[in-house]
Amino acid sequence: KAGVTQTPRYLIKTRGQQVTLSCSPISGHRSVSWYQQTPGQGLQFLFEYFSETQRNKGNFPGRFSGRQFSNSRSEMNVSTLELGDSALYLCASSLAVASGLNEQFFGPGTRLTVL
Amino acid sequence: QKEVEQDPGPLSVPEGAIVSLNCTYSNSAFQYFMWYRQYSRKGPELLMYTYSSGNKEDGRFTAQVDKSSKYISLFIRDSQPSDSATYLCAMSATSGTYKYIFGTGTRLKVLA
């Protein structure tokens, strides 16, 4: 079974630009979550999508947005990039069980560098 | 104050040592306690999880939760160089939630 894939793996952008990251979940997984990972803050939850709807959102500004398509693939967009947006962006997919632990399977991440 | 605190390390130990990794937390509503392992240039992978209090053992790994002290631990016995990675604790408060709160991770290096 193929794992979670993320594209691109590396990106370099300049301040003020926008960027779109893509995530393909494990086949059959309907939930996709996005996290930002930085050395100082660790992993921080951005948002979670299920059946094309955003169900949960973390404490990030509106410049961070996402969407999910009918095939469960998800994209994340960051507009007006700032230096502080440099981070590893991780996508995780899950089966979306109603109770118990929703084990999340992470992709390898997209390393974004903002110059 | 962060909801979850974790010593960033790095922690260097000789092969065969017992490793203790720890996290403290402030939210008494947390019920699921997880440990993830993240190798360089990879995403985190779930090692083990515990629901509520108690211990859980899986091979060389033991997870402990002390809800009264708001403290969780991961013990690695007979550590191997292949255990060298960053270990992240994560917690969630409700069943079915996707909003995990992660620690910042502890970098572990096991020296051959």
Side-chain angles (χ1 to χ4, degrees), chain A residues 20-104:
Chain A
T20 299
L21 313 181
S22 181
C23 171
S24 291
I26 292 171
S27 178
H29 285 192
R30 297 167 65 191
S31 169
V32 173
S33 297
W34 288 90
Y35 292 84
Q36 181 194 66
Q37 186 175 32
T38 57
Q41 298 296 318
L43 263 87
Q44 292 185 283
F45 175 78
L46 280 154
F47 29 64
E48 181 252 343
Y49 286 87
F50 178 80
S51 291
E52 303 177 63
T53 301
Q54 187 182 90
R55 292 201 302 187
N56 287 287
K57 191 176 188 310
N59 298 323
F60 278 82
R63 300 185 297 107
F64 292 82
S65 63
R67 59 177 176 168
Q68 186 180 34
F69 302 95
S70 57
N71 62 358
S72 294
R73 191 176 69 85
S74 178
E75 287 182 348
M76 191 193 95
N77 186 75
V78 188
S79 62
T80 320
L81 284 166
E82 300 177 0
L83 295 179
D85 297 333
S86 295
L88 181 67
Y89 290 88
L90 290 159
C91 164
S93 76
S94 172
L95 272 173
V97 297
S99 63
L101 181 74
N102 274 298
E103 183 176 352
Q104 297 195 346

Side-chain angles (χ1 to χ4, degrees), chain A residues 11-13 19 78 81 85-89 110-114:
Chain A
L11 264 179
I12 299 176
K13 294 284 188 180
V19 67
V78 188
L81 284 166
D85 297 333
S86 295
L88 181 67
Y89 290 88
T110 294
R111 172 74 61 186
L112 172 64
T113 302
V114 181

Side-chain angles (χ1 to χ4, degrees), chain A residues 35 37 40 55 96 99-100 102 107, chain B residues 2 32 38 43 49 95-96 98 100:
Chain A
Y35 292 84
Q37 186 175 32
R55 292 201 302 187
S99 63
N102 274 298
Chain B
K2 290 182 178 176
Y32 291 94
Q38 185 175 19
Y49 76 93
S95 184
Y98 302 88
Y100 292 9

Side-chain angles (χ1 to χ4, degrees), chain B residues 63-104:
Chain B
Q64 285 185 353
V65 174
D66 181 349
K67 292 189 81 176
S68 61
S69 302
K70 296 191 179 69
Y71 189 88
I72 70 169
S73 300
L74 177 71
F75 296 96
I76 307 174
R77 290 183 300 280
D78 187 26
S79 56
Q80 302 295 309
S82 59
D83 295 327
S84 297
T86 296
Y87 290 81
L88 302 117
C89 62
M91 308 178 191
S92 67
T94 54
S95 184
T97 186
Y98 302 88
K99 193 173 177 181
Y100 292 9
I101 308 298
F102 281 83
T104 50

